[in-house]
Amino acid sequence: MTRVAAIDCGTNSIRLLVADVPPTGAHTDQLRRMEVVRLGQGVDATGRLAPEAIERTRLVLAEYAIQARELGATEIRMVATSATRDAANRADFEDMVRATLGRLPDVVTGREEAELSFLGATGSVDAAAAAHALQPPRPPYLVVDIGGGSTEFVLGNAAGVVAARSVDIGCVRLTERHLRDDPPAAEQVALAERDIRAALADVVGAVPVDRAASLVGLAGSVTTVAALALDLPTYDSEAIHGSRIPVGDVRQVSADLLAATRERRAASPVMHPGRVDVIGAGALILRVLMDEFGLPEVAVSEHDILDGIALRLGRAQA
């Protein structure tokens, strides 16, 4: 076993996983944390990371660095994704990370982001299905990671990634661009849906989605939609991981979220406070892609790019 620390810094949240990684097979978690820092605040409009967003990220990153050292992680890797790739002042963020963590973040390409998400998501699909007494999803898998600034689409199987595309639609980006009212007006939702469909047309040009036998959905928007569809009394990762949500339930949850006020969304017992403002857009992305690609259900994974970072890092050290 190799004990490693993986940090995923996205547009909306920053997450830490400290895990023991064997040469083959599943990893064992020692610690998982997630904090919403909204690093991508305003980046779609300004092209720059806000100083206050960088500072929020620094404070959490400092805690993560201490915890990784205390738990004995021998290697640490921080991956930064969409918001950082897009920012004109990316160097300010990188300087902060180097001062806080002792090393630069890896600002990965959309392709590597997709590969890491696929590795993390598919490593546990069989075990997750068995926990729910379900048949495992059939490959080829279409893995979809709905983030704050971008969404990754990855087609692959046991041999690895066949094709991938990262497009600039995400729950934070679409909310800031279109869904400004509380609740958003019908024309705002229509404009957001137009952007989603345009991005999906780009995806189809790069990824043969018609070859997918199963949809595997990742990240907070998908898991929150699943928690709402399952009508859970509290957020329960074990109940969510490996669950299957039919497209009809996704449509209903998406419609309910987009019709709800912020106050009503915040009152949900499964809603993380940092997702209240952006969950409507995230649910809309999931609903539109399932309808557009004719996918009858989504297999929900709590494992994603964070797990992929840890697995690749640990096995590189073995």
Side-chain angles (χ1 to χ4, degrees), residues 15-125:
R15 301 178 300 150
L16 168 69
L17 170 62
V18 179
D20 291 335
V21 179
T24 60
H27 55 289
T28 303
D29 292 5
Q30 299 299 319
L31 174 68
R32 279 184 190 262
R33 279 193 61 185
M34 188 276 281
E35 300 291 339
V36 172
V37 293
R38 199 66 60 85
L39 177 63
Q41 169 196 331
V43 74
D44 188 56
T46 67
R48 300 181 65 83
L49 298 171
E52 62 270 27
I54 294 176
E55 176 61 12
R56 289 194 299 266
T57 306
R58 184 192 69 78
L59 291 171
V60 176
L61 183 60
E63 294 179 13
Y64 286 0
I66 291 169
Q67 289 185 300
R69 286 195 297 269
E70 288 178 345
L71 287 170
T74 57
E75 297 291 335
I76 186 166
R77 184 186 186 194
M78 177 178 176
V79 165
T81 53
S82 176
T84 313
R85 282 198 302 266
D86 297 343
N89 61 334
R90 168 174 159 177
D92 294 343
F93 173 78
E94 292 178 331
D95 289 345
M96 178 278 289
V97 172
R98 179 159 42 196
T100 307
L101 197 61
R103 65 194 65 201
L104 284 169
D106 291 330
V107 183
V108 297
T109 64
R111 173 73 186 201
E112 186 176 0
E113 185 176 355
E115 291 174 349
L116 290 168
S117 293
F118 186 85
L119 175 62
T122 58
S124 63
V125 290

Side-chain angles (χ1 to χ4, degrees), residues 224-248:
T224 302
V225 167
L228 291 165
L230 294 168
D231 197 24
L232 297 178
T234 59
Y235 191 94
D236 182 343
S237 294
E238 290 188 8
I240 293 166
H241 186 52
S243 64
R244 307 280 178 81
I245 309 300
V247 65

Side-chain angles (χ1 to χ4, degrees), residues 21-318:
V21 179
T24 60
H27 55 289
T28 303
D29 292 5
Q30 299 299 319
L31 174 68
R32 279 184 190 262
R33 279 193 61 185
M34 188 276 281
E35 300 291 339
V36 172
V37 293
R38 199 66 60 85
L39 177 63
Q41 169 196 331
V43 74
D44 188 56
T46 67
R48 300 181 65 83
L49 298 171
E52 62 270 27
I54 294 176
E55 176 61 12
R56 289 194 299 266
T57 306
R58 184 192 69 78
L59 291 171
V60 176
L61 183 60
E63 294 179 13
Y64 286 0
I66 291 169
Q67 289 185 300
R69 286 195 297 269
E70 288 178 345
L71 287 170
T74 57
E75 297 291 335
I76 186 166
R77 184 186 186 194
M78 177 178 176
V79 165
T81 53
S82 176
T84 313
R85 282 198 302 266
D86 297 343
N89 61 334
R90 168 174 159 177
D92 294 343
F93 173 78
E94 292 178 331
D95 289 345
M96 178 278 289
V97 172
R98 179 159 42 196
T100 307
L101 197 61
R103 65 194 65 201
L104 284 169
D106 291 330
V107 183
V108 297
T109 64
R111 173 73 186 201
E112 186 176 0
E113 185 176 355
E115 291 174 349
L116 290 168
S117 293
F118 186 85
L119 175 62
T122 58
S124 63
V125 290
D126 289 3
H132 291 270
L134 297 170
Q135 290 296 314
R138 292 186 301 111
Y141 312 109
L142 179 63
V143 172
V144 176
D145 185 350
I146 300 174
S150 65
T151 296
E152 281 62 56
F153 294 80
V154 195
L155 183 74
N157 50 36
V161 172
V162 173
R165 188 70 165 181
S166 176
V167 289
D168 283 341
I169 52 167
C171 59
V172 174
R173 196 182 296 269
L174 287 181
T175 300
E176 291 185 349
R177 189 181 294 173
H178 297 301
L179 306 183
R180 299 187 181 96
D181 290 349
D182 181 29
E187 56 267 28
Q188 294 175 348
V189 175
L191 287 170
E193 185 168 339
R194 181 197 64 185
D195 282 4
I196 296 167
R197 292 191 185 279
L200 295 181
D202 182 44
V203 170
V204 170
V207 180
V209 295
D210 57 332
R211 288 168 50 186
S214 304
L215 170 66
V216 180
L218 325 180
S221 289
V222 176
T223 59
T224 302
V225 167
L228 291 165
L230 294 168
D231 197 24
L232 297 178
T234 59
Y235 191 94
D236 182 343
S237 294
E238 290 188 8
I240 293 166
H241 186 52
S243 64
R244 307 280 178 81
I245 309 300
V247 65
D249 291 354
V250 173
R251 292 185 190 120
Q252 186 62 59
V253 170
S254 175
D256 290 348
L257 288 168
L258 290 166
T261 62
R262 186 188 192 284
E263 182 181 15
R264 187 154 72 85
R265 294 193 303 273
S268 168
V270 302
M271 189 70 63
H272 188 285
R275 298 209 181 277
V276 173
D277 293 331
V278 298
I279 186 59
L284 183 65
I285 294 168
L286 180 61
R287 192 272 290 171
V288 173
L289 76 89
M290 291 181 75
D291 281 340
E292 191 77 2
F293 296 155
L295 297 163
E297 66 175 12
V298 56
V300 181
S301 177
E302 286 273 1
H303 292 181
D304 52 25
I305 186 172
L306 188 64
D307 301 79
I309 297 165
L311 286 167
R312 183 168 286 182
L313 179 61
R315 286 170 184 165
Q317 307 306 316

